[in-house]
Amino acid sequence: MNGLTSAVGLGLVGVGGPAPADPARRDPEELRALAEEAGRELADAPALEIARWAAETFGDRFCVTSSMADGVLAHLVSRVAPGVDVVFLDTGLHFPETLRVRDEVARRLPVNVRSIRPRMTVGQQDGEYGPRLFSRSPDECCQLRKVEPLERALTGYDAWAAGLRRDESPTRANTPVVAFDPRRGKVKVNPIAAWTQRDVDAYIARHDIPVNELFGRGYGSIGCWPCTRRTKAGEDPRAGRWAMFEKTECGLHT
């Protein structure tokens, strides 16, 4: 939707490439009021209706974020907003299977994938902070490789959609379908917040959605390879993330 340059179907955006700022952006207080009203009115609405509201309300100033565990959210939003920007945080530490989902989404769906990189390569980060920062200070690593790139990527938008679901973990159990993100001064939309894993699986089967092969190999939730392990039977789907630390979120949604 923002018409950024693509390469092999991907909007490859490096360290200096946020979406262009638009002086016509809404004031944060206006965005807060919009989010609060929509949060009430759309609380029980179908996911597609929630996505349609966001696309119609914000136009080109609305994007989707995706970890590329699957293409469900990108597909859902593209049904009401063909050409929508899909922001993917290319940390440099993803599984190859995750990058294949990204490439499939870019190739098969009517979306513009923007692959956002950190300011430093993994090698540069090792030189600055020491090797394997993720094993010593995962919060700092996530800040450098996920949180800061997202802040930069969202510069030109008033609203963004995420694929959070209430059934994923106790920390996400109260996820609203629309809320104001005070940290970023933007509206955050969670169209599939009320979906269960069964709903996701049914949508994937119905629409032939790209999905990460690692789910079939025992992974319940997929992030960067150093901080992701297979989950055991009966475990929370996100139990395999940062399993050696008291950490359940990367910082994007807190």
Side-chain angles (χ1 to χ4, degrees):
M1 291 168 68
N2 279 311
L4 296 175
T5 302
S6 295
V8 195
L10 295 173
L12 297 176
V13 182
V15 297
D22 183 346
R25 68 161 294 177
R26 287 180 166 99
D27 178 88
E29 288 308 310
E30 180 184 357
L31 293 174
R32 184 190 297 273
L34 276 170
E36 290 175 352
E37 181 179 8
R40 292 190 298 269
E41 295 185 354
L42 297 172
D44 300 313
L48 195 63
E49 183 178 335
I50 297 166
R52 179 178 290 109
W53 169 83
E56 292 178 351
T57 301
F58 301 106
D60 285 351
R61 297 189 65 83
F62 169 61
C63 71
V64 173
T65 57
S66 177
S67 65
M68 296 300 171
D70 57 54
V72 168
L73 185 61
H75 181 277
L76 178 80
V77 176
S78 74
R79 291 167 62 187
V80 295
V84 66
D85 287 349
V86 176
V87 172
F88 171 70
L89 303 178
D90 187 355
T91 65
L93 294 169
H94 283 298
F95 290 96
E97 291 85 352
T98 301
L99 300 180
R100 283 200 287 272
V101 174
R102 177 198 64 180
D103 294 347
E104 277 290 288
V105 166
R107 183 178 67 84
R108 291 172 49 189
L109 302 185
V111 299
N112 176 46
V113 175
R114 299 183 58 223
S115 216
I116 309 298
R117 302 187 181 104
R119 294 191 181 277
M120 291 184 286
T121 67
V122 175
Q124 289 169 335
Q125 179 175 297
D126 287 349
E128 182 75 17
Y129 294 90
R132 299 179 64 84
L133 181 64
F134 48 77
S135 69
R136 295 179 286 107
S137 180
D139 286 341
E140 190 172 12
C141 189
C142 286
Q143 174 66 34
L144 293 168
R145 309 208 71 76
K146 288 186 175 182
V147 178
E148 188 281 330
L150 180 67
E151 307 289 344
R152 184 162 23 93
L154 293 180
T155 299
Y157 304 105
D158 286 335
W160 58 297
L164 302 184
R165 301 198 328 267
R166 295 166 189 157
D167 72 335
E168 289 179 306
S169 70
T171 60
R172 297 182 175 185
N174 298 314
T175 299
V177 296
V178 182
F180 182 69
D181 178 358
R183 174 175 166 187
R184 300 177 177 92
K186 301 178 189 298
V187 176
K188 186 175 181 183
V189 185
N190 303 297
I192 63 172
W195 283 18
T196 64
Q197 186 62 53
R198 180 176 295 183
D199 295 325
V200 173
D201 293 343
Y203 192 92
I204 288 170
R206 185 181 312 122
H207 298 285
D208 188 26
I209 303 296
V211 62
N212 200 308
E213 297 171 13
L214 294 176
F215 285 122
R217 302 180 201 165
Y219 291 84
S221 178
I222 301 163
C224 295
W225 67 261
C227 301
T228 305
R229 66 160 173 83
R230 291 176 173 84
T231 48
K232 301 172 185 176
E235 278 190 318
D236 184 292
R238 290 183 62 83
R241 305 288 293 277
W242 307 286
M244 300 300 292
F245 298 91
E246 293 294 321
K247 177 178 170 67
T248 58
E249 297 285 352
C250 59
L252 299 180
H253 305 294
T254 55

